[in-house]
PDB file of all heavy atoms in Angstrom:
ATOM      1  N   LEU A1054       8.158 -11.894   7.535  1.00 96.00           N
ATOM      2  CA  LEU A1054       9.506 -12.466   7.640  1.00 96.00           C
ATOM      3  C   LEU A1054       9.452 -13.957   7.937  1.00 96.00           C
ATOM      4  O   LEU A1054      10.225 -14.741   7.368  1.00 96.00           O
ATOM      5  CB  LEU A1054      10.296 -11.739   8.733  1.00 96.00           C
ATOM      6  CG  LEU A1054      10.677 -10.286   8.427  1.00 96.00           C
ATOM      7  CD1 LEU A1054      11.367  -9.658   9.637  1.00 96.00           C
ATOM      8  CD2 LEU A1054      11.562 -10.195   7.193  1.00 96.00           C
ATOM      9  N   GLN A1055       8.529 -14.360   8.805  1.00 97.00           N
ATOM     10  CA  GLN A1055       8.400 -15.783   9.133  1.00 97.00           C
ATOM     11  C   GLN A1055       7.890 -16.571   7.934  1.00 97.00           C
ATOM     12  O   GLN A1055       8.349 -17.687   7.660  1.00 97.00           O
ATOM     13  CB  GLN A1055       7.462 -15.974  10.323  1.00 97.00           C
ATOM     14  CG  GLN A1055       7.321 -17.423  10.766  1.00 97.00           C
ATOM     15  CD  GLN A1055       8.647 -18.080  11.096  1.00 97.00           C
ATOM     16  OE1 GLN A1055       9.443 -17.520  11.870  1.00 97.00           O
ATOM     17  NE2 GLN A1055       8.916 -19.250  10.533  1.00 97.00           N
ATOM     18  N   ALA A1056       6.928 -15.986   7.200  1.00 97.00           N
ATOM     19  CA  ALA A1056       6.393 -16.675   6.026  1.00 97.00           C
ATOM     20  C   ALA A1056       7.472 -16.877   4.968  1.00 97.00           C
ATOM     21  O   ALA A1056       7.594 -17.971   4.395  1.00 97.00           O
ATOM     22  CB  ALA A1056       5.220 -15.878   5.449  1.00 97.00           C
ATOM     23  N   TRP A1057       8.276 -15.841   4.716  1.00 98.00           N
ATOM     24  CA  TRP A1057       9.342 -15.983   3.714  1.00 98.00           C
ATOM     25  C   TRP A1057      10.420 -16.952   4.206  1.00 98.00           C
ATOM     26  O   TRP A1057      11.037 -17.664   3.403  1.00 98.00           O
ATOM     27  CB  TRP A1057       9.952 -14.640   3.362  1.00 98.00           C
ATOM     28  CG  TRP A1057       9.230 -13.937   2.249  1.00 98.00           C
ATOM     29  CD1 TRP A1057       8.595 -12.740   2.296  1.00 98.00           C
ATOM     30  CD2 TRP A1057       9.058 -14.427   0.912  1.00 98.00           C
ATOM     31  NE1 TRP A1057       8.023 -12.447   1.076  1.00 98.00           N
ATOM     32  CE2 TRP A1057       8.305 -13.460   0.211  1.00 98.00           C
ATOM     33  CE3 TRP A1057       9.458 -15.584   0.242  1.00 98.00           C
ATOM     34  CZ2 TRP A1057       7.950 -13.622  -1.131  1.00 98.00           C
ATOM     35  CZ3 TRP A1057       9.101 -15.751  -1.094  1.00 98.00           C
ATOM     36  CH2 TRP A1057       8.362 -14.770  -1.764  1.00 98.00           C
ATOM     37  N   LYS A1058      10.645 -17.011   5.521  1.00 98.00           N
ATOM     38  CA  LYS A1058      11.600 -17.985   6.061  1.00 98.00           C
ATOM     39  C   LYS A1058      11.123 -19.398   5.780  1.00 98.00           C
ATOM     40  O   LYS A1058      11.904 -20.273   5.360  1.00 98.00           O
ATOM     41  CB  LYS A1058      11.765 -17.758   7.568  1.00 98.00           C
ATOM     42  CG  LYS A1058      12.812 -18.657   8.212  1.00 98.00           C
ATOM     43  CD  LYS A1058      12.987 -18.320   9.687  1.00 98.00           C
ATOM     44  CE  LYS A1058      14.045 -19.195  10.333  1.00 98.00           C
ATOM     45  NZ  LYS A1058      14.221 -18.860  11.775  1.00 98.00           N
ATOM     46  N   THR A1059       9.828 -19.630   5.974  1.00 98.00           N
ATOM     47  CA  THR A1059       9.246 -20.949   5.709  1.00 98.00           C
ATOM     48  C   THR A1059       9.322 -21.288   4.228  1.00 98.00           C
ATOM     49  O   THR A1059       9.737 -22.398   3.842  1.00 98.00           O
ATOM     50  CB  THR A1059       7.779 -20.987   6.169  1.00 98.00           C
ATOM     51  OG1 THR A1059       7.732 -20.752   7.581  1.00 98.00           O
ATOM     52  CG2 THR A1059       7.137 -22.333   5.844  1.00 98.00           C
ATOM     53  N   PHE A1060       8.933 -20.346   3.378  1.00 98.00           N
ATOM     54  CA  PHE A1060       8.931 -20.600   1.938  1.00 98.00           C
ATOM     55  C   PHE A1060      10.348 -20.711   1.386  1.00 98.00           C
ATOM     56  O   PHE A1060      10.589 -21.470   0.437  1.00 98.00           O
ATOM     57  CB  PHE A1060       8.153 -19.497   1.206  1.00 98.00           C
ATOM     58  CG  PHE A1060       6.672 -19.770   1.118  1.00 98.00           C
ATOM     59  CD1 PHE A1060       5.884 -19.818   2.266  1.00 98.00           C
ATOM     60  CD2 PHE A1060       6.053 -20.007  -0.105  1.00 98.00           C
ATOM     61  CE1 PHE A1060       4.526 -20.087   2.207  1.00 98.00           C
ATOM     62  CE2 PHE A1060       4.691 -20.276  -0.188  1.00 98.00           C
ATOM     63  CZ  PHE A1060       3.927 -20.318   0.975  1.00 98.00           C
ATOM     64  N   SER A1061      11.279 -19.975   1.967  1.00 98.00           N
ATOM     65  CA  SER A1061      12.671 -20.092   1.527  1.00 98.00           C
ATOM     66  C   SER A1061      13.223 -21.483   1.819  1.00 98.00           C
ATOM     67  O   SER A1061      13.976 -22.050   1.019  1.00 98.00           O
ATOM     68  CB  SER A1061      13.536 -19.027   2.219  1.00 98.00           C
ATOM     69  OG  SER A1061      13.186 -17.740   1.789  1.00 98.00           O
ATOM     70  N   ALA A1062      12.813 -22.042   2.959  1.00 98.00           N
ATOM     71  CA  ALA A1062      13.236 -23.408   3.289  1.00 98.00           C
ATOM     72  C   ALA A1062      12.551 -24.415   2.378  1.00 98.00           C
ATOM     73  O   ALA A1062      13.186 -25.361   1.882  1.00 98.00           O
ATOM     74  CB  ALA A1062      12.915 -23.701   4.754  1.00 98.00           C
ATOM     75  N   ASP A1063      11.269 -24.214   2.120  1.00 98.00           N
ATOM     76  CA  ASP A1063      10.506 -25.148   1.292  1.00 98.00           C
ATOM     77  C   ASP A1063      10.985 -25.160  -0.157  1.00 98.00           C
ATOM     78  O   ASP A1063      10.950 -26.198  -0.822  1.00 98.00           O
ATOM     79  CB  ASP A1063       9.018 -24.796   1.328  1.00 98.00           C
ATOM     80  CG  ASP A1063       8.393 -25.044   2.694  1.00 98.00           C
ATOM     81  OD1 ASP A1063       9.029 -25.714   3.527  1.00 98.00           O
ATOM     82  OD2 ASP A1063       7.264 -24.559   2.924  1.00 98.00           O
ATOM     83  N   TYR A1064      11.396 -23.998  -0.646  1.00 98.00           N
ATOM     84  CA  TYR A1064      11.758 -23.877  -2.062  1.00 98.00           C
ATOM     85  C   TYR A1064      13.248 -23.618  -2.276  1.00 98.00           C
ATOM     86  O   TYR A1064      13.668 -23.334  -3.401  1.00 98.00           O
ATOM     87  CB  TYR A1064      10.950 -22.753  -2.706  1.00 98.00           C
ATOM     88  CG  TYR A1064       9.482 -23.096  -2.893  1.00 98.00           C
ATOM     89  CD1 TYR A1064       8.547 -22.776  -1.912  1.00 98.00           C
ATOM     90  CD2 TYR A1064       9.037 -23.746  -4.038  1.00 98.00           C
ATOM     91  CE1 TYR A1064       7.203 -23.096  -2.063  1.00 98.00           C
ATOM     92  CE2 TYR A1064       7.702 -24.067  -4.208  1.00 98.00           C
ATOM     93  CZ  TYR A1064       6.781 -23.741  -3.221  1.00 98.00           C
ATOM     94  OH  TYR A1064       5.453 -24.066  -3.383  1.00 98.00           O
ATOM     95  N   SER A1069      16.048 -15.324   3.162  1.00 98.00           N
ATOM     96  CA  SER A1069      14.624 -14.994   3.213  1.00 98.00           C
ATOM     97  C   SER A1069      14.382 -13.528   3.551  1.00 98.00           C
ATOM     98  O   SER A1069      13.419 -12.923   3.074  1.00 98.00           O
ATOM     99  CB  SER A1069      13.912 -15.880   4.235  1.00 98.00           C
ATOM    100  OG  SER A1069      14.433 -15.683   5.537  1.00 98.00           O
ATOM    101  N   ARG A1103      -1.573 -20.134   1.951  1.00 97.00           N
ATOM    102  CA  ARG A1103      -0.681 -20.632   3.012  1.00 97.00           C
ATOM    103  C   ARG A1103       0.241 -19.512   3.502  1.00 97.00           C
ATOM    104  O   ARG A1103       0.455 -19.371   4.719  1.00 97.00           O
ATOM    105  CB  ARG A1103       0.151 -21.808   2.494  1.00 97.00           C
ATOM    106  CG  ARG A1103       1.079 -22.418   3.552  1.00 97.00           C
ATOM    107  CD  ARG A1103       1.580 -23.776   3.118  1.00 97.00           C
ATOM    108  NE  ARG A1103       2.599 -23.712   2.088  1.00 97.00           N
ATOM    109  CZ  ARG A1103       3.906 -23.825   2.319  1.00 97.00           C
ATOM    110  NH1 ARG A1103       4.354 -23.986   3.554  1.00 97.00           N
ATOM    111  NH2 ARG A1103       4.776 -23.781   1.322  1.00 97.00           N
TER     112      ARG A1103
END
Side-chain angles (χ1 to χ4, degrees):
L1054 291 176
Q1055 182 56 51
W1057 272 118
K1058 184 176 181 180
T1059 299
F1060 273 65
S1061 293
D1063 292 347
Y1064 288 92
S1069 61
R1103 182 164 75 100

